[in-house]
């Protein structure tokens, strides 16, 4: 049973978050929604923030970095509807997929950093 997240596994989580952040950062160019101002700027800003915070977590792990990435991931999920670009399918899905990856890995990292077991049965 995995009780805590080892340093190597935590680094793998952060590396995947860096990739997800960079993916969201370049998605306006790759998916062609740079003309959608809110969608593009949100992708650039949130993607860069996720990647930079994940790089900082690679350097020195503090739980606050995971909480910030969790919040940014949740924002990436809500942004298409809050900012009004949910009709732009490519932008909406780029944000939703980034949210699923970033939020799940940040939540998992927080969970395992508290040495919680998978189950108590």
């Amino acid at each position: 049973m995995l009780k805590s997240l080892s340093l190597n596994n935590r680094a793998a989580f952060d590396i995947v978050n860096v990739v997800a952040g960079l993916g969201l950062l370049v998605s306006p160019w790759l998916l062609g929604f740079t003309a959608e101002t809110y969608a593009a700027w949100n992708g650039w800003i949130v993607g860069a923030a996720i990647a930079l915070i994940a790089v900082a977590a690679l350097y020195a792990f503090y739980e606050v970095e995971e909480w910030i990435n969790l919040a940014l991931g949740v924002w990436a999920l809500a942004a298409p509807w809050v900012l009004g670009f949910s009709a732009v399918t490519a932008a909406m899905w780029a944000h939703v997929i980034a949210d699923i990856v970033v939020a799940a890995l940040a939540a998992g990292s927080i969970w395992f950093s508290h040495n919680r077991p998978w189950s108590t049965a």
Side-chain angles (χ1 to χ4, degrees):
M1 173 177 3
L2 180 65
K3 288 190 76 171
S4 67
L5 198 59
S6 72
L7 183 61
N8 291 335
N9 291 339
R10 188 178 302 137
F13 278 23
D14 292 328
I15 289 169
V16 173
N17 272 345
V18 169
V19 171
L22 292 175
L24 186 58
L25 176 71
V26 300
S27 67
W29 293 295
L30 291 178
L31 301 176
F33 60 90
T34 55
E36 300 292 331
T37 306
Y38 293 131
W41 277 101
N42 191 71
W44 293 327
I45 292 169
V46 174
I50 288 170
L52 289 174
I53 291 168
V55 167
L58 280 170
Y59 177 70
F61 177 77
Y62 294 104
E63 189 174 325
V64 70
E65 294 158 340
E66 302 304 328
W67 282 104
I68 293 170
N69 263 350
L70 179 62
L72 287 169
V74 170
W75 168 252
L77 177 66
W81 292 274
V82 173
L83 298 177
F85 61 87
S86 61
V88 182
T89 307
M92 188 264 303
W93 280 111
H95 282 78
V96 168
I97 291 170
D99 159 67
I100 291 169
V101 172
V102 172
L105 291 177
S109 184
I110 292 167
W111 179 264
F112 290 123
S113 70
H114 289 283
N115 294 321
R116 292 192 174 111
W118 281 101
S119 70
T120 57

